[in-house]
């Protein structure tokens, strides 16, 4: 019995530990690490990179000769040419042909070398695509995480409002029973309590919905337990970096800018490959061949030895008229180069607009946060004074509710500016190449 009791206690301890682990609150760093390792978009971009590496390896092997073996069994009847002896015969001919052939391109306008160099650049570009996918999910997770924190703190604010309203209703009921407070005052306070309780429900629903959004970004299972940790956010006195400095750092580091610039180099190799179509192609080929035919009296092995012969030669192909194929390919490649240059300029411009928007918002929100912080402090003081007056019977319930609503609005404004400030500050840190940390 004692043994079974010990086992039961052990299982209970383990289950509690597992449950506690499942309910572990996720920090932003936890979310970012998990997302970059499990997000489907990032994995897809990594597969694209692996595909580019395979293509690059294939292009390098195109420098080597091709080697193939062949075997053919023929049967001819009537007057025909013996495929082995090349004699005219009038009989049923059974023949076997065996051969090995090798071919290598010696020159084709440097097409192979340019293809190899282009595919090497495509690997680098796909590495930038992987980094770009990671950056995108990092920004999305950061924004979703901060939004979840905002809703989470909103629950606390709403629950505090309910507690305050409940206390006021209790006091009002006591005064009403004593005949020192009108029924309408009690009804107004009761209405406010119901509104505050509804606000709690709304706040919790908003938080749960935001957790679903965050779980989707993390690729978590729908039924997985998930909760976010509550960190300390920076205050309103954070130092906002210089706009131009942020942009200069970002334009030299962001993978989307590097990828767009690299696309011009990739398109340049398309032009070189297209121009190769105007140039001749020189190839070397060689072969080993033998065969057997029933028209000869030798046995099979002897015929394979007697009919053995070797071939070797050069093949030159000179383009004369390609029905506008080569010229069209060259013109298309030139257009692609110009388009890639425009794309690179547009990418840098879009990056500047994102950074400028984040910088302007950071500056504006910082001022708003300072004002909201002062408003929250003053409205809190006013509300506390109103509560004392209400307790003494020198303030109506209506005036108390006005003061309370003013304080709640100030709290919401402060929360909004606090989390917005944290978001824009982290964006600026991200564009400077710094890790996002909250």
């Amino acid at each position: 019995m004692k043994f079974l009791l010990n086992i039961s206690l052990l299982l209970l301890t383990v289950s509690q530990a597992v449950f506690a682990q499942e309910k572990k609150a996720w920090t932003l760093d936890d979310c970012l690490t998990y997302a970059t390792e499990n997000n489907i978009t990032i994995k897809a971009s990594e597969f694209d990179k692996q595909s580019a590496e395979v293509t690059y390896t294939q292009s390098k092997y195109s420098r080597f000769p091709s080697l193939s073996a062949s075997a053919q069994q023929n049967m001819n009847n009537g007057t025909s040419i013996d495929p082995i002896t090349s004699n005219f015969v009038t009989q049923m001919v059974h023949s076997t042909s065996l051969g090995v052939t090798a071919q290598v391109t010696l020159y084709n306008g440097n097409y192979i070398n340019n293809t190899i160099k282009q595919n090497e650049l495509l690997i680098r570009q796909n590495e930038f695509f992987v980094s770009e996918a990671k950056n995108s999910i990092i920004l999305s997770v950061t924004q979703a995480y901060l939004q979840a924190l905002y809703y989470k703190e909103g629950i606390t604010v709403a629950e505090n409002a309910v507690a305050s309203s409940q206390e006021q209703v209790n006091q009002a009921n006591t005064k009403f029973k004593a005949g020192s407070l009108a029924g309408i005052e009690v009804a107004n306070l009761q209405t406010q309590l119901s509104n505050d309780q509804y606000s709690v429900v709304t706040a919790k629903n908003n938080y749960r919905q935001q957790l679903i959004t965050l779980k989707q970004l993390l690729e978590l299972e729908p039924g997985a337990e998930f909760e976010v940790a509550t960190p300390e956010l920076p205050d309103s006195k954070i130092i906002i970096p210089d706009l131009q400095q942020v942009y200069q750092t970002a334009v030299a580091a962001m993978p989307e800018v590097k990828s767009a610039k690299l696309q011009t180099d990739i398109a340049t190799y398309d032009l070189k490959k297209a121009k190769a179509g105007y140039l001749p192609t020189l190839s070397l080929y060689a072969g080993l061949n033998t065969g057997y035919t029933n028209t000869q009296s030798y046995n099979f092995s002897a015929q394979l030895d007697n009919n053995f012969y070797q071939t070797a030669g050069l093949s030159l192909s000179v383009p004369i008229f390609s029905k506008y194929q080569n010229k069209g390919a060259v013109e298309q490649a030139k257009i692609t180069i110009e388009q890639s240059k425009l794309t690179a300029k547009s990418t840098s411009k879009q990056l500047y607009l994102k950074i400028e928007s984040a910088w302007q918002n950071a500056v504006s929100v910082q001022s708003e946060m300072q004002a909201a912080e002062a408003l929250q402090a003053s409205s809190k003081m006013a509300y506390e004074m109103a509560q004392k007056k209400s307790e003494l019977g020198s303030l109506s319930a209506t005036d108390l509710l006005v003061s309370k609503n003013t304080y709640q609005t100030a709290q919401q404004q402060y929360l909004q500016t606090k989390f917005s400030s944290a978001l824009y500050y982290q964006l600026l840190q991200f564009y400077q190449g710094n890790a996002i940390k909250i």
Side-chain angles (χ1 to χ4, degrees):
M1 180 63 71
K2 184 177 181 180
F3 174 76
L4 294 176
L5 179 61
N6 290 334
I7 292 295
S8 300
L9 291 175
L10 178 62
L11 292 175
L12 179 60
T13 303
V14 171
S15 63
Q16 289 176 342
V18 172
F19 180 76
Q21 185 177 7
E22 291 178 349
K23 295 290 288 185
K24 177 185 77 77
W26 290 53
T27 65
L28 177 59
D29 187 59
D30 293 334
C31 292
L32 295 178
T33 301
Y34 190 90
T36 53
E37 292 176 354
N38 296 276
N39 183 262
I40 292 177
T41 303
I42 295 176
K43 288 184 177 181
S45 62
E46 289 174 344
F47 282 128
D48 290 338
K49 175 177 172 291
Q50 293 176 15
S51 178
E53 291 171 347
V54 172
T55 302
Y56 172 64
T57 302
Q58 286 178 328
S59 63
K60 287 198 299 182
Y61 275 91
S62 61
R63 286 173 171 164
F64 295 90
S66 61
L67 180 64
S68 60
S70 63
Q72 186 174 3
Q73 181 69 36
N74 297 312
M75 182 182 68
N76 298 323
N77 189 28
T79 302
S80 62
I81 297 176
D82 190 317
I84 303 302
T85 64
S86 298
N87 296 327
F88 281 98
V89 294
T90 306
Q91 66 178 85
M92 177 75 72
V93 178
H94 296 279
S95 63
T96 302
S97 299
L98 304 174
V100 177
T101 304
Q103 183 175 357
V104 61
T105 300
L106 301 177
Y107 178 77
N108 62 345
N110 214 29
Y111 185 92
I112 294 177
N113 289 335
N114 286 327
T115 300
I116 294 173
K117 293 177 181 178
Q118 185 184 49
N119 289 336
E120 188 175 10
L121 292 181
L122 286 171
I123 292 178
R124 289 176 55 195
Q125 188 180 47
N126 275 275
E127 290 174 350
F128 293 142
F129 289 157
V130 173
S131 299
E132 188 176 351
K134 289 182 179 179
N135 287 347
S136 178
I137 194 64
I138 285 173
L139 293 179
S140 297
V141 168
T142 300
Q143 184 174 2
Y145 189 89
L146 286 172
Q147 189 68 27
L149 289 180
Y150 168 69
Y151 287 138
K152 187 176 182 181
E153 287 208 19
I155 294 175
T156 302
V157 172
E159 288 177 341
N160 290 339
V162 169
S164 176
S165 294
Q166 185 65 63
E167 179 64 25
Q168 291 167 8
V169 168
N170 293 339
Q171 293 177 3
N173 285 327
T174 301
K175 293 179 181 180
F176 175 73
K177 292 177 181 179
S180 60
L181 189 66
I184 186 63
E185 301 284 349
V186 178
N188 288 336
L189 292 173
Q190 184 65 51
T191 300
Q192 182 63 44
L193 174 60
S194 299
N195 287 333
D196 291 340
Q197 290 171 338
Y198 179 81
S199 297
V200 170
V201 175
T202 301
K204 289 182 177 180
N205 287 336
N206 290 336
Y207 178 60
R208 282 193 290 266
Q209 288 297 323
Q210 191 61 30
L211 289 183
I212 292 174
T213 300
L214 192 51
K215 285 169 62 176
Q216 289 174 340
L217 290 172
L218 298 179
E219 306 293 348
L220 291 174
E221 294 297 326
E225 294 288 342
F226 184 73
E227 184 70 32
V228 295
T230 304
E232 289 292 333
L233 296 181
D235 57 25
S236 59
K237 299 178 182 179
I238 57 177
I239 299 176
I240 299 176
D242 178 70
L243 173 60
Q244 293 302 323
Q245 180 181 356
V246 174
Y247 174 69
Q248 293 301 326
T249 304
V251 79
M254 288 294 103
E256 59 266 32
V257 177
K258 293 181 179 180
S259 172
K261 291 180 179 179
L262 191 61
Q263 184 60 42
T264 301
D265 296 333
I266 294 172
T268 301
Y269 280 107
D270 277 329
L271 177 60
K272 293 179 180 180
K273 290 163 61 177
K275 288 182 177 180
Y278 289 121
L279 302 175
T281 299
L282 179 63
S283 301
L284 172 66
Y285 64 90
L288 303 175
N289 300 276
T290 187
Y292 164 83
T293 177
N294 66 336
T295 62
Q296 292 184 323
S297 58
Y298 307 108
N299 61 31
F300 187 82
S301 60
Q303 286 196 40
L304 292 182
D305 184 49
N306 292 336
N307 295 329
F308 179 71
Y309 68 97
Q310 307 85 40
T311 60
L314 292 172
S315 174
L316 180 66
S317 175
V318 180
I320 298 176
F321 178 66
S322 63
K323 298 182 290 185
Y324 196 71
Q325 296 298 312
N326 291 333
K327 184 175 179 59
V330 169
E331 295 302 319
Q332 288 288 358
K334 290 179 179 179
I335 293 173
T336 302
I337 290 174
E338 297 303 317
Q339 289 176 329
S340 66
K341 291 179 180 179
L342 290 177
T343 301
K345 291 181 180 179
S346 176
T347 302
S348 297
K349 183 178 180 181
Q350 291 175 5
L351 177 62
Y352 182 80
L353 291 176
K354 291 179 182 178
I355 294 174
E356 185 178 32
S357 176
W359 187 86
Q360 291 287 356
N361 287 329
V363 173
S364 300
V365 170
Q366 189 176 56
S367 300
E368 292 173 0
M369 183 178 174
Q370 293 172 350
E373 190 174 13
L375 178 60
Q376 180 182 236
S378 61
S379 60
K380 180 181 180 182
M381 184 182 298
Y383 176 54
E384 290 174 348
M385 294 175 63
Q387 284 180 307
K388 291 180 181 179
K389 288 184 177 181
S390 177
E391 292 172 2
L392 297 174
S394 59
L395 187 71
S396 67
T398 302
D399 292 334
L400 177 62
L401 292 178
V402 170
S403 179
K404 179 182 179 181
N405 290 334
T406 301
Y407 175 50
Q408 288 180 331
T409 301
Q411 283 182 300
Q412 292 295 335
Q413 289 176 346
Y414 175 69
L415 283 180
Q416 184 68 48
T417 56
K418 182 174 73 169
F419 286 102
S420 296
S421 177
L423 173 62
Y424 296 128
Y425 176 75
Q426 293 301 327
L427 286 179
L428 295 177
Q429 292 298 310
F430 171 80
Y431 287 126
Q432 293 180 96
N434 300 324
I436 292 180
K437 293 182 179 179
I438 296 179

